[in-house]
Amino acid sequence: RGRRGATFPAMTNPPGGVPSPCINICRIHPGTGWCEGCLRTLDEITVWSRLGDAGKTAVLARVAERRVTWIARLAGGADKAVT
């Protein structure tokens, strides 16, 4: 864990809970520290199953912000770290 190119198993969701953003593309981008599939950090992935709905919703809000940055980065064709 925590190594470049590390992969992680898909998350499962409790019935009626906030669904995991995991899409089974589990690679940590070395420049951002974000999973290339769900855009969560390793810390966010690690604690996901222990978070309540409010915590999960907060993570999803950060993911939504990162998605805008990620898409802009991909559209620009740059392979630099996103800040």
Side-chain angles (χ1 to χ4, degrees):
R1 289 198 170 214
R3 296 181 311 233
R4 255 184 216 164
T7 59
F8 303 90
M11 306 276 176
T12 58
N13 302 312
V18 175
S20 169
C22 181
I23 59 170
N24 295 321
I25 300 173
C26 306
R27 289 183 305 267
I28 301 301
H29 187 277
T32 64
W34 303 338
C35 172
E36 292 181 8
C38 67
L39 301 180
R40 290 179 293 172
T41 65
L42 281 175
D43 288 340
E44 291 166 342
I45 292 167
T46 301
V47 301
W48 183 265
S49 64
R50 296 186 304 269
L51 291 174
D53 285 352
K56 290 177 180 179
T57 300
V59 169
L60 292 178
R62 290 191 296 271
V63 165
E65 293 171 4
R66 290 177 194 142
R67 186 167 287 113
V68 172
T69 303
W70 188 256
I71 290 169
R73 176 184 171 276
L74 292 176
D79 194 22
K80 300 184 279 186
V82 178
T83 57

